[in-house]
Amino acid sequence: MSLHQFITNILNIKPEQIQDLLTLNQSDGSMVIKIRLVDAHCICPYCNGQTHIHGYYPRKLTHSTFINRACTILYLQRRYRCNTCQITFNEPNPFTHSHESITHETKINILQDLKHPEITYTLAAKRNYVSKAMVLRIFDRHVHIARKPLPKVLSLDEHYLPDSDYESLYCCLLMDFVTGVIIDVLPDRKKSYLLYYLSHIKHETYSYETHTSELDRIQYVSIDMSESFRSVFQSYCPKAIICADSFHVLQHLTKDFNAVRLKCRRETPDPVLAYLLMKFKVVLNHNVQLDNVARYNKRLKRYINLRGIQTVLFKHFPELKKAYELKEEYIAFNETASFENAGRKLDALILKFADSQIREYDEFCIVLSNWKQEIVNSFTVVNGRRINNSHIESKNRQVQRLLNNANGFRNFKRTRNRILYCLNKEDTYTF
Ligand SMILES: [Zn+2]
């Protein structure tokens, strides 16, 4: 490829459009391309009259087409004057709009960079040889992502976002359980906001012929056990079946079980047992390989494997053993029950938790009773998968990465657009 061809490629123009072309390699490694286009003999856009060349205006355009190399186009833009109405106007050009200092291609490169959650606005600016303010301006101008239609199965989850310009510590992610597409991001998870949001959708999409709105599409809603989510959906989508996300139920259980372990540690006078409860808490986890090769433990002064340690702990702390067994029983129930038998099994489990007299489980017991129907509902299978938010949790991790990389997301509107833009493959910029 000749240099001339190479240059016309990076400028996205045809060789026959070029009148003059000069490439300069600067001492700092950057590249300057001086260019003048062929006279197109434009006619007046206002009166169709004949024109003459009025002059040339040099324009300096950032053209970030290379990685690791700044590139500037010095474009001598021709200006015409109409012979009839005397109006002056610019020749059309393939690089940019009037009054802008960067090329279309640079904008597209910036917008494509921002599609990756790990690329910050600052990094995109650096990669494309423009200022961060410019990157933000381009993003705000070209990325506006509308809410998607509400899906059949809606997952709802919250995300810690303390620095936004809304009076709220959490934002709320709405996702299509079946496709994994993010429907929308809300600035607040509070009941008043959700009520406003849903009523707005209802009024906007209500049909007086069918007496339905878009909200009637929702057949299932998967939520964490938040009372406000439940009551809002009960009033706005009365036909939707509400499911308690199993991940959050297990999270609650794990937290309470951990409290039992910590109580044992606090109350034991034996420093070796206290040490085992901290150092080997892994033996109390679910699905741990306990039958490993025994290793010498200095504090116990003998060879012991993880199962041995578990046995020691259970012997000294019968309540911990009981709490562990209940926890494991709930996990087994969660993994194996079906929609048909979950209600009966859950009733039996609630009784066992209540009978255990473990104070740390009191609250969990209340939660299970309070959310019984929603937990049973969560055993519903749609498209071969049990309804849960694990999908959205993985999206949440991507959001977390996005937010960690951004030095403060104060502007919620921008944050929302960025989350949708990065996490939904199909969402794109507009020109
Ligand atoms: Zn004219």
Side-chain angles (χ1 to χ4, degrees), residues 35 65 77 106 124 144 165 232 294 308-309 320 322 324 336 348 351 389 426 428:
I35 189 161
T65 193
Q77 187 160 37
T106 307
H144 305 281
D165 42 13
V232 166
I309 289 169
L320 183 71
K322 203 173 184 185
Y324 172 83
T336 59
L351 277 181
N389 285 4
E426 306 292 324
T428 187

Side-chain angles (χ1 to χ4, degrees), residues 38-43 50-51 80:
V38 166
D39 186 358
H41 301 288
C42 293
I43 57 163
Q50 293 298 312
T51 62
Y80 293 102

Side-chain angles (χ1 to χ4, degrees), residues 151-216:
K152 178 179 147 192
V153 187
L154 179 70
S155 304
L156 211 73
D157 217 340
E158 59 199 27
H159 201 91
Y160 190 55
L161 182 67
D163 294 325
S164 92
D165 42 13
Y166 274 78
E167 292 284 302
S168 160
L169 290 178
Y170 290 84
C171 64
C172 190
L173 254 68
L174 271 58
M175 198 179 79
D176 182 336
F177 167 76
V178 176
T179 62
V181 167
I182 302 203
I183 305 296
D184 206 351
V185 184
L186 314 186
D188 200 338
R189 61 166 179 176
K190 283 196 273 302
K191 190 173 175 176
S192 53
Y193 187 85
L194 289 165
L195 284 172
Y196 154 78
Y197 182 79
L198 293 181
S199 72
H200 187 73
I201 294 179
K202 185 171 178 176
H203 286 118
E204 263 197 334
T205 60
Y206 192 78
S207 152
Y208 286 96
E209 284 168 20
T210 59
H211 296 288
T212 58
S213 76
E214 206 183 310
L215 295 179
D216 294 292

